[in-house]
Amino acid sequence: MVAKNEEFALIKPNIFSADCPTRRILDLISDKWSTLIITLLHQSPKRFSELHRQIQGVSQKMLTQNLRNLERSGLVTRTVYPQVPLKVEYQLTLLGETLYQPIKAVQEWSENYFMEVLEAQQNYDRKAS
């Protein structure tokens, strides 16, 4: 894929290189909170409180950080509606939508094979002790 910005046109992606931007992008999109946010926003735009309520275990701080990172990276838009009380809504961008299918595939794999993984972990721990 050709970079649209000439500044980035000469970068050759190499996920194994520590200084390659693809590494930072992989960190962003493989974060557990980011994958859950993307999954929920694929369903429909959501307010912060909806996301916080639906993603059990995420702190307000972590949710805020992840939403900002996703917005900064062009994957999520934040819309502020000028009303009282203020209404803020998050939505996936077209670029963000392209991540849904790969994330869904990993989530489905997790749901289909969690028993095998738990068994393997149990067997490993039994041998290690």
Side-chain angles (χ1 to χ4, degrees):
M1 179 171 188
V2 177
K4 293 180 182 178
N5 187 324
E6 289 183 28
E7 177 185 353
F8 305 126
L10 299 178
I11 296 175
K12 184 176 179 186
N14 178 357
I15 203 79
F16 297 104
S17 173
D19 59 348
C20 184
T22 57
R23 181 82 65 92
R24 290 188 303 277
I25 295 167
L26 183 61
D27 286 344
L28 171 70
I29 63 175
S30 64
D31 177 85
K32 69 179 173 184
W33 304 125
S34 292
T35 62
L36 297 173
I37 291 167
I38 289 167
T39 300
L40 287 174
L41 293 180
H42 170 75
Q43 297 168 1
S44 66
K46 304 254 188 273
R47 296 179 72 169
F48 183 92
S49 59
E50 291 176 276
L51 291 167
H52 191 249
R53 189 171 42 256
Q54 289 184 289
I55 303 173
Q56 296 178 8
V58 68
S59 68
Q60 288 187 357
K61 179 182 176 183
M62 286 307 299
L63 182 55
T64 299
Q65 284 178 351
N66 276 269
L67 285 166
R68 284 185 185 153
N69 286 335
L70 292 168
E71 182 181 8
R72 180 176 179 262
S73 301
L75 303 175
V76 168
T77 58
R78 178 179 182 267
T79 305
V80 178
Y81 296 95
Q83 62 187 51
V84 178
L86 203 61
K87 179 181 176 184
V88 178
E89 200 170 66
Y90 296 91
Q91 180 174 352
L92 285 182
T93 62
L94 292 177
L95 181 61
E97 284 289 346
T98 65
L99 279 171
Y100 176 69
Q101 287 302 322
I103 287 171
K104 180 182 176 200
V106 172
Q107 289 172 342
E108 287 175 351
W109 184 91
S110 298
E111 291 170 348
N112 290 330
Y113 294 101
F114 78 94
M115 290 298 289
E116 287 87 341
V117 171
L118 292 176
E119 264 183 46
Q121 290 172 343
Q122 201 173 45
N123 290 338
Y124 180 90
D125 292 346
R126 199 174 11 255
K127 288 177 188 175
S129 59

